[in-house]
Amino acid sequence: MKSVLFFLGLVGLALATTTLPKTYENYKVFRIPVENREHAEFLKKFEETPFVDFWTELRLGGNVDVMVGPGTQFTFEEMLTREGMSFSEMIPNLAPMLRAEKLAQDEHKRNKKVNANYNMDWVSYHDLFDFYEYFDYLEAHYEDISVETIGQSFEGRDLRVLKICRGGCGNKPAMFVDGGIHAREWIGPAVVTYMLNELTENLSAENNDLVEDLDWYFLPSVNPDGYYYTQASDRLWRKTRSDYGELCRGTDGNRNFGYQFATGGASNSPCSDTYHGPSAFSEVETQAVKGFVDANKDSIKFYNNIHSYGQLILTPWGYSEELVPDYDDIKSLADTCNDALYAVHQKSYEVGCIPCVLYTASGNSIDYMYGDAGIKYSYSIELRDEGSYGFVLPASEIIPTGEEIFAFHATAARLIVQENSQ
Ligand SMILES: [Zn+2]
């Protein structure tokens, strides 16, 4: 414990010496097997410090990936060794990976527009401007597409939901998919917009039933301030950018929802990456999602909260190890959809309730969707990969990930139509 306090004591020093944008020179990502509860409890203490950044959730019997800066690596390694824990270097130095990513993105940006109307494609990561320009184009060119601004972020950026409703919204079962609540998980917004494109610009005759029989709502960026910040200043920022006058900024939006808020698996320390915020729905971003869902909860039959990474399909509850009353149905639909996902590129994703697969996490969005809004089929997916690149997933993975995740949703949508027509 003394050593953990030593880590905490360095907080002020680190904040005072932070320069932007962060290069992450000599930052390492360690992969640590979590063999027993003692290991888990030992590692859990570091979640309160900004020196050990958890890239994945603690997972008993699995691995956890953590990023540690050059100044504290030696101490951290010593502490693990003293606890009898093993570890390996997943990424020996982050900086060259981030430089390569930025270079590729800048080069792509320098090329001329994809077409005359917008700059979106899925061979590069894009900024919010490109997303919204693409939305505007779709809204202007398709009769059954509209954009609803459901609120503004802390820094005043729009939260825009793209709605595909043939013959008007609200008369059919609806699918609601969001991404980017954790800013650094760039593959999330990329895959949400990929699916949107599959149902609009790239709609095939065989998928026509998906827009004929259902409404679709896409919110690619729940946390636009965070997303902007990851592109301008700190590629590995996770939280919102709210400021409560504390030492550290931001709240974990996925611990800020109001169902069983702050009942475990969330931190009350503003410097933690899993800080739940000062109160339930303190964040304007989660308020906006709540407002949208509350207004449409009768028609929304499926919800997916997209994250990365780890290749997991997670179900409620998150706050409790108890299984939800509809667990068998929820698991069975996920298994069927997972088969469709696997058939595309033979990538394995694991299905299970949050504490079954990871650790408890309260205040997450799917607990609210299931527990309060009554959306039975509520999921959270952790996209690719399994830890070679983590959050810095190469843009060449966007299309294959999009293809398998679209297969998952297409299968879910058809099963939901079936269930609702019975
Ligand atoms: Zn996440």
Side-chain angles (χ1 to χ4, degrees):
M1 191 60 200
K2 208 181 250 175
S3 312
V4 176
L5 287 173
F6 164 72
F7 266 70
L8 279 168
L10 290 173
V11 172
L13 181 68
L15 290 171
T17 55
T18 297
T19 50
L20 298 174
K22 272 183 105 162
T23 62
Y24 287 96
E25 200 62 66
N26 294 320
Y27 276 66
K28 289 182 194 296
V29 180
F30 295 102
R31 173 155 281 196
I32 309 166
V34 187
E35 287 162 13
N36 53 48
R37 211 157 269 277
E38 287 71 45
H39 287 176
E41 292 307 322
F42 176 75
L43 288 166
K44 239 179 150 23
K45 293 172 193 150
F46 291 100
E47 284 185 340
E48 305 296 316
T49 81
F51 289 94
V52 179
D53 181 338
F54 282 72
W55 276 31
T56 59
E57 310 281 338
L58 274 167
R59 190 176 183 191
L60 209 57
N63 298 311
V64 67
D65 302 338
V66 299
M67 177 177 73
V68 184
T72 42
Q73 277 157 14
F74 182 71
T75 314
F76 184 67
E77 289 182 27
E78 268 198 340
M79 290 168 73
L80 291 177
T81 308
R82 222 179 302 141
E83 288 295 310
M85 297 172 68
S86 60
F87 56 88
S88 58
E89 280 184 17
M90 180 176 123
I91 298 173
N93 181 8
L94 257 171
M97 273 172 76
L98 297 185
R99 279 196 292 271
E101 183 185 64
K102 180 89 173 65
L103 216 65
Q105 210 186 0
D106 287 350
E107 195 181 306
H108 187 80
K109 216 180 268 180
R110 270 197 302 276
N111 294 336
K112 66 176 174 49
K113 276 183 177 276
V114 176
N115 64 43
N117 299 307
Y118 54 81
N119 203 26
M120 264 316 277
D121 62 24
W122 289 269
V123 295
S124 176
Y125 291 106
H126 289 263
D127 58 24
L128 282 169
F129 181 85
D130 289 347
F131 290 169
Y132 292 171
E133 179 189 50
Y134 174 61
F135 279 19
D136 290 343
Y137 161 80
L138 292 177
E139 186 179 38
H141 285 78
Y142 292 87
E143 198 186 326
D144 299 322
I145 292 181
S146 57
V147 180
E148 181 180 340
T149 300
I150 62 167
Q152 268 83 34
S153 66
F154 178 77
E155 291 174 346
R157 294 184 177 84
D158 280 353
L159 279 93
R160 294 192 198 172
V161 174
L162 193 297
K163 312 200 303 192
I164 309 172
C165 307
R166 204 170 269 187
C169 294
N171 307 313
K172 303 169 189 171
M175 309 279 288
F176 178 36
V177 185
D178 69 32
I181 195 165
H182 293 149
R184 61 193 176 184
E185 300 165 8
W186 283 8
I187 185 67
V191 160
V192 175
T193 51
Y194 176 90
M195 291 198 286
L196 164 63
N197 196 56
E198 286 301 289
L199 295 173
T200 53
E201 293 279 85
N202 210 21
L203 184 67
S204 61
E206 64 193 29
N207 285 331
N208 190 57
D209 62 310
L210 296 174
V211 289
E212 193 61 44
D213 300 341
L214 300 111
D215 292 341
W216 292 80
Y217 304 139
F218 293 106
L219 173 60
S221 181
V222 180
N223 178 12
D225 294 348
Y227 193 62
Y228 176 82
Y229 194 67
T230 58
Q231 298 193 329
S233 301
D234 182 350
R235 172 67 180 87
L236 294 163
W237 185 259
R238 167 182 163 103
K239 301 188 284 182
T240 64
R241 293 294 298 158
S242 57
D243 186 353
Y244 296 104
E246 302 280 356
L247 193 57
C248 301
R249 286 181 72 160
T251 289
D252 182 347
N254 206 32
R255 301 290 185 282
N256 188 244
F257 281 76
Y259 191 84
Q260 297 288 337
F261 173 77
T263 55
S267 173
N268 58 13
S269 159
C271 289
S272 167
D273 252 350
T274 55
Y275 177 48
H276 51 50
S279 59
F281 293 117
S282 58
E283 306 308 287
V284 284
E285 296 84 0
T286 57
Q287 280 169 33
V289 173
K290 177 190 187 312
F292 177 74
V293 165
D294 289 355
N296 296 285
K297 62 185 176 188
D298 292 339
S299 59
I300 298 174
K301 303 296 176 195
F302 172 99
Y303 170 71
N304 202 352
N305 179 238
I306 306 255
H307 292 256
S308 75
Y309 59 98
Q311 295 174 205
L312 306 169
I313 298 159
L314 303 167
T315 74
W317 303 116
Y319 82 94
S320 162
E321 288 181 15
E322 196 182 306
L323 293 177
V324 293
D326 298 305
Y327 186 73
D328 289 348
D329 285 358
I330 295 170
K331 170 84 162 56
S332 156
L333 183 124
D335 285 339
T336 308
C337 299
N338 195 22
D339 290 345
L341 181 162
Y342 182 81
V344 181
H345 293 295
Q346 290 74 54
K347 288 287 177 191
S348 297
Y349 286 59
E350 186 180 345
V351 180
C353 77
I354 293 172
C356 314
V357 177
L358 302 167
Y359 236 67
T360 50
S362 65
N364 66 76
S365 71
I366 64 171
D367 280 4
Y368 179 80
M369 299 301 169
Y370 181 84
D372 201 309
I375 301 167
K376 178 174 161 187
Y377 294 109
S378 290
Y379 300 94
S380 181
I381 289 195
E382 299 279 358
L383 301 175
R384 294 187 187 188
D385 57 12
E386 291 183 292
S388 304
Y389 294 94
F391 302 122
V392 196
L393 192 70
S396 57
E397 298 264 330
I398 299 171
I399 290 174
T401 310
E403 287 168 340
E404 66 200 16
I405 295 302
F406 182 70
F408 180 96
H409 286 78
T411 305
R414 291 182 177 117
L415 289 169
I416 278 164
V417 169
Q418 255 177 38
E419 187 170 303
N420 279 272
S421 62
Q422 278 164 6

